[in-house]
Amino acid sequence: MSPVLSPLAVEKLVAGAESGCPSDTEKQIILNCARLLTRVLPYIFEDPDWRGFFWSSVPGAGRSQDDDDEEDSSRPLAESLLLAVANLLFCPDFTVQSHRRSGTDTTEDIHTLDSCEYIWEAGVGFAHSPTPNHTHDLNRTELLKLLLTCFSEAMYLPPLSESNGAGNPWVQFFCSAENRHALPLFTSLLNVVCAYDPVGYGIPYNHLLFWDSREPLVEVSAQLLIVTLDSDPTTNSGPSMDGTTTSTAMDENESPVPDNLFVNYLSRIHREEDFQFILKGLARLLLNPLTQTYLPNSTKKIQFHQELLVLFWKLCDFNKKFLFFVLKSSDVLDVLVPILYFLNDARADQSRVGLMHIGVFILLLLSGERNFGVRLNKPYSVRVPMDIPVFTGTHADLLIVVFHKVITSGHQRLQPLYDCLLTIIVNVSPYLKSLSMVASNKLLHLLEAFSSPWFLFSSPQNHHLVFFLLEVFNNIIQYQFDGNSSLVYAIIRKRNIFHQLANLPSDTPSIQRALQRKKKPAEPISRTNSQDGASMEGSRPAAPAEPGTLKTSLIATPAIEKLTEKSQVSEDGTLRAIDPDVPQAELEDGAQSRQTRRFSNVSSSSQWNPTTDWVMSWKVKLPLQTIMRLLQVLVPQVEKICIDKGLTDESEILKFLQHGTLVGLLPVPHPILIRKYQANAGTAMWFRTYMWGVIYLRNMDPPVWYDTDVKLFEIQRV
């Protein structure tokens, strides 16, 4: 397939966009040219000598025969192609319903029609739902696939190259004011995705009887949205939070304006009904793979949940009003439950490590807001089958039980996520009113595993995990003691862990003995004593990837201290950023965390040699005072009751603890510290490699990029 064909194909598309494709023959020519370019472009992109071809002005190419406009005559081929495709996406009787009344012969002029009246689906900023048209859906899908292929030049540049950091010229031009259809197209893509209902009327097996032309359109729309929104938030600053709003769908009074119009439009959505439409739509689609029916395989299960998670991330990241809306009601739990389901289901599958990361990143972003912690107190009654212990409790219990499962039985490549998982629990802990016994035991089991001497000494960063867990216990004891008798009881039962930590040996012989006791160097955590009990009915164990499964490589994520910034909660509930240079007396100050990346594996930790000074540098900062005081007060009382009343039943002890109080007996409550996600170049590049990796693997039938020389990531077989 020669690149020389490309200018001819572009020329045909431009001519079709000029004429409005009045005949079936012209429509077929357009579709054939779109398919040809979709196949040829990846081969042009993989060759550095040809890559700039579309951005050079080819005399006579990409223009219709009668086009004498000087500006257009010098337009690069890429711009002509993108503008032609944008026009064709709003071409009456080809991709949109004609508004021409029957009986009149006047054709609608594609150059002057207001494409905002031809938005593809009702939703944000558009109330009218056009009659479904399978042919239009198929034609849109072909053109959107071509656009996606145009934007995929990013795949052929190494992740850390200057060109990849400078932005994607195809996306930049398409999402600029040069494209007069930017607003209606953005709205069409968003509405098509959020309005989609894969189950329809719920007739069993309907997806096996009828082909759904809408699903391929929804999939490519979701992929195109996340690619066009791939914009560095540090350069495209989102809207301020105090702008006044107008009655239109897009807020007019926000500034500064991002160069990327898709990011601009997304950041300016502000009407509650629009937020409700978006959130309900995304939640419906994310919950779809979890749907349980009595008839096996009777409902359609979507496969594009990873794209939806990236889209949800972009919405929360670029539109803070949307984030606050999400956290304002319990609807956020309709997003939380599927994320926890995916985390649990994918934990043993190394081909789905990227899915684990995006799920954890979203929860980290949400956990930085107080309302998320408050929402977690809602009882968990939806019984989605997961291979986790049966428990009765809240969504907070579900989160802790799933995180425990990920850490204790997840794939080894998830170790860099441990500090993110524990940071999420720390962020929500001051607001958790009543943890179940199951969740309480899980937290104590994690502390037991992470505080074993061999684990603490085997890497320069492992002790951070203990600090996080102690902070969780301190937050709950100081701010939510009433109602958390199960956790207090678990702490009393496992009090030896805290005593061992306080008396952790730091002399060289003891350090060496502890390291020699390490039997399996690759095991991050002991997997015994996790008190798992019976799993939920109907669940299946998390399975590893099938041999031969394709996966794409990911770049490393930034360490937790680069990923977040510390804020202190004031008495009035507002957050105050903390000067990173000011050490926190009761918390580890994080200076050591600037050493090597957390969680060294065997090869890197073999050079690691822990010293007495190093152990003492963090041991003296272990925040044990509150817990030790609690044990000092309550252990003698519990022991006395057990002896006096001959109690062996833990429910009686729990009853006693429920009525106990530590008012005036504990140290002065420490300020609540929240670690909020902060945008940075490292995560922006991680999202880019993850997003394109997902799109690459999701377009294998027919294969669009397979077997071309992709540079952004490596394609590996499990």
Side-chain angles (χ1 to χ4, degrees):
M1 289 184 285
S2 166
V4 176
L5 291 172
S6 306
L8 300 172
V10 174
E11 195 175 308
K12 293 287 186 190
L13 288 175
V14 172
E18 287 283 327
S19 67
C21 308
S23 70
D24 289 345
T25 309
E26 284 177 88
K27 291 181 174 73
Q28 195 54 54
I29 289 171
I30 293 298
L31 293 172
N32 289 343
C33 289
R35 289 171 189 140
L36 174 74
L37 285 166
T38 303
R39 295 299 298 127
V40 172
L41 277 167
Y43 294 96
I44 293 177
F45 291 154
E46 75 172 344
D47 186 339
D49 295 336
W50 275 98
R51 199 174 293 143
F53 173 71
F54 271 84
W55 292 98
S56 56
S57 300
V58 181
R63 288 183 290 122
S64 60
Q65 299 303 313
D66 56 348
D67 191 354
D68 296 322
D69 190 308
E70 273 186 43
E71 186 189 336
D72 276 6
S73 66
S74 60
R75 240 189 219 296
L77 208 52
E79 295 185 4
S80 300
L81 169 58
L82 292 172
L83 293 176
V85 173
N87 278 325
L88 288 165
L89 285 167
F90 293 96
C91 181
D93 292 325
F94 181 51
T95 50
V96 292
Q97 209 80 46
S98 173
H99 289 187
R100 193 177 65 235
R101 289 189 181 85
S102 53
T104 60
D105 291 327
T106 54
T107 56
E108 292 152 295
D109 184 355
I110 194 169
H111 302 290
T112 57
L113 64 78
D114 179 2
S115 44
C116 285
E117 294 175 9
Y118 292 79
I119 288 169
W120 301 347
E121 185 57 77
V124 176
F126 195 66
H128 170 63
S129 192
T131 312
N133 186 307
H134 298 311
T135 310
H136 293 173
D137 279 355
L138 295 175
N139 296 344
R140 292 165 179 169
T141 303
E142 291 290 354
L143 291 170
L144 293 180
K145 281 198 166 170
L146 170 56
L147 275 182
L148 194 60
T149 311
C150 291
F151 299 158
S152 72
E153 185 179 349
M155 277 201 227
Y156 298 89
L157 303 167
L160 301 175
S161 67
E162 273 183 40
S163 355
N164 216 325
N168 185 326
W170 294 84
V171 172
Q172 283 171 343
F173 179 80
F174 190 76
C175 298
S176 73
E178 293 268 359
N179 177 6
R180 76 182 185 93
H181 302 293
L183 176 58
L185 186 55
F186 166 76
T187 313
S188 294
L189 297 174
L190 185 63
N191 291 354
V192 158
V193 171
C194 295
Y196 180 55
D197 184 358
V199 177
Y201 292 113
I203 301 163
Y205 301 107
N206 63 344
H207 63 290
L208 302 178
L209 302 174
F210 311 104
W211 187 68
D212 177 10
S213 66
R214 186 48 58 124
E215 186 178 23
L217 175 64
V218 174
E219 285 197 19
V220 72
S221 296
Q223 291 171 359
L224 207 62
L225 266 178
I226 61 177
V227 168
T228 49
L229 294 169
D230 177 28
S231 183
D232 185 353
T234 54
T235 56
N236 273 326
S237 44
S240 61
M241 289 308 301
D242 51 1
T244 53
T245 58
T246 69
S247 59
T248 58
M250 301 299 168
D251 201 332
E252 300 294 345
N253 296 317
E254 302 290 14
S255 61
V257 176
D259 299 332
N260 179 322
L261 288 180
F262 278 40
V263 173
N264 180 21
Y265 297 145
L266 183 82
S267 68
R268 281 169 40 204
I269 298 170
H270 65 284
R271 292 195 303 204
E272 294 235 337
E273 58 267 38
D274 291 337
F275 287 156
Q276 189 67 20
F277 166 74
I278 294 168
L279 182 57
K280 286 283 187 205
L282 292 179
R284 178 176 56 247
L285 292 170
L286 287 170
L287 286 163
N288 165 266
L290 287 60
T291 310
Q292 297 302 308
T293 52
Y294 291 108
L295 300 168
N297 304 318
S298 63
T299 58
K300 176 178 231 168
K301 300 281 175 84
I302 62 155
Q303 301 297 318
F304 54 97
H305 48 273
Q306 296 191 86
E307 293 95 319
L308 293 170
L309 289 173
V310 176
L311 179 57
F312 181 78
W313 169 271
K314 295 286 182 193
L315 279 155
C316 291
D317 201 22
F318 287 134
N319 191 324
K320 289 297 175 254
K321 289 178 181 172
F322 176 75
L323 175 62
F324 297 152
F325 176 84
V326 166
L327 294 166
K328 204 169 72 172
S329 75
S330 296
D331 289 347
V332 66
L333 303 175
D334 292 336
V335 175
L336 169 74
V337 171
I339 289 175
L340 292 176
Y341 173 84
F342 296 136
L343 291 181
N344 188 61
D345 189 55
R347 68 180 192 271
D349 184 344
Q350 60 170 306
S351 72
R352 294 200 281 168
V353 168
L355 170 60
M356 301 290 295
H357 277 74
I358 176 74
V360 171
F361 283 159
I362 288 172
L363 297 184
L364 180 64
L365 180 73
L366 295 176
S367 75
E369 306 295 334
R370 175 186 175 276
N371 269 0
F372 182 63
V374 173
R375 299 286 160 244
L376 290 179
N377 290 307
K378 186 176 180 182
Y380 175 65
S381 53
V382 187
R383 290 289 172 236
V384 175
M386 299 190 216
D387 63 327
I388 56 172
V390 178
F391 69 91
T392 302
T394 64
H395 285 75
D397 295 306
L398 177 68
L399 180 136
I400 288 168
V401 168
V402 169
F403 282 12
H404 174 271
K405 198 84 177 179
V406 168
I407 291 171
T408 57
S409 64
H411 191 270
Q412 205 188 322
R413 286 186 61 199
L414 301 179
Q415 289 181 13
L417 282 178
Y418 290 0
D419 45 13
C420 270
L421 292 169
L422 294 189
T423 297
I424 293 164
I425 300 177
V426 171
N427 281 348
V428 300
S429 60
Y431 313 110
L432 304 184
K433 293 186 180 302
S434 177
L435 286 184
S436 69
M437 187 60 83
V438 172
S440 301
N441 285 334
K442 296 304 176 201
L443 288 175
L444 267 299
H445 176 241
L446 289 178
L447 182 67
E448 187 174 18
F450 288 146
S451 62
S452 68
W454 73 256
F455 182 77
L456 283 172
F457 299 155
S458 63
S459 157
Q461 309 283 333
N462 284 358
H463 62 283
H464 293 177
L465 300 173
V466 170
F467 276 82
F468 284 137
L469 284 165
L470 291 176
E471 197 177 337
V472 170
F473 297 138
N474 287 337
N475 281 342
I476 293 176
I477 292 166
Q478 288 280 21
Y479 292 98
Q480 299 291 347
F481 179 80
D482 297 337
N484 270 298
S485 53
S486 293
L487 180 67
V488 173
Y489 179 61
I491 289 172
I492 290 172
R493 280 185 58 223
K494 292 283 188 178
R495 57 190 178 275
N496 62 315
I497 303 173
F498 302 98
H499 291 301
Q500 284 166 7
L501 259 178
N503 299 311
L504 184 74
S506 56
D507 58 288
T508 306
S510 298
I511 292 172
Q512 293 310 316
R513 270 198 306 276
L515 289 172
Q516 282 157 14
R517 226 172 276 147
K518 188 173 174 181
K519 291 171 188 151
K520 289 187 180 174
E523 282 288 317
I525 177 170
S526 111
R527 305 191 180 231
T528 54
N529 296 328
S530 57
Q531 303 125 343
D532 262 9
S535 285
M536 297 173 75
E537 191 182 340
S539 65
R540 52 187 177 76
E546 291 285 329
T549 303
L550 286 177
K551 68 186 182 85
T552 55
S553 63
L554 291 163
I555 62 168
T557 52
I560 193 71
E561 66 277 359
K562 294 264 169 49
L563 210 53
T564 56
E565 66 178 6
K566 289 179 183 175
S567 298
Q568 198 167 293
V569 181
S570 308
E571 284 182 17
D572 61 357
T574 56
L575 287 178
R576 184 172 59 81
I578 289 175
D579 183 348
D581 298 328
V582 178
Q584 296 298 299
E586 58 283 289
L587 288 170
E588 176 203 23
D589 68 8
Q592 300 145 20
S593 58
R594 297 186 194 96
Q595 296 170 19
T596 57
R597 176 70 182 100
R598 229 200 38 57
F599 238 112
S600 330
N601 57 23
V602 184
S603 59
S604 59
S605 60
S606 58
Q607 280 86 52
W608 167 243
N609 186 26
T611 64
T612 298
D613 287 349
W614 171 76
V615 174
M616 289 307 295
S617 71
W618 54 262
K619 181 185 167 184
V620 295
K621 296 175 188 167
L622 283 168
L624 287 165
Q625 302 88 332
T626 300
I627 295 166
M628 288 307 193
R629 183 68 180 135
L630 174 143
L631 293 173
Q632 189 186 359
V633 173
L634 291 181
V635 170
Q637 292 181 15
V638 170
E639 285 177 341
K640 184 173 187 304
I641 283 178
C642 290
I643 294 164
D644 290 354
K645 297 191 177 178
L647 289 185
T648 51
D649 182 9
E650 68 179 34
S651 64
E652 290 293 327
I653 301 169
L654 284 168
K655 207 175 285 180
F656 163 74
L657 291 172
Q658 276 165 9
H659 297 107
T661 178
L662 291 175
V663 174
L665 297 172
L666 293 178
V668 176
H670 55 279
I672 295 173
L673 214 64
I674 301 293
R675 293 165 181 83
K676 287 174 77 83
Y677 168 80
Q678 58 173 356
N680 60 81
T683 43
M685 183 48 72
W686 184 90
F687 271 98
R688 187 167 302 148
T689 55
Y690 169 64
M691 171 186 76
W692 279 113
V694 168
I695 291 170
Y696 177 98
L697 293 175
R698 299 267 300 113
N699 286 276
M700 298 294 276
D701 185 23
V704 178
W705 299 280
Y706 186 67
D707 234 9
T708 58
D709 190 16
V710 169
K711 294 278 199 309
L712 185 61
F713 45 78
E714 290 174 24
I715 296 92
Q716 302 155 341
R717 282 193 187 276
V718 174

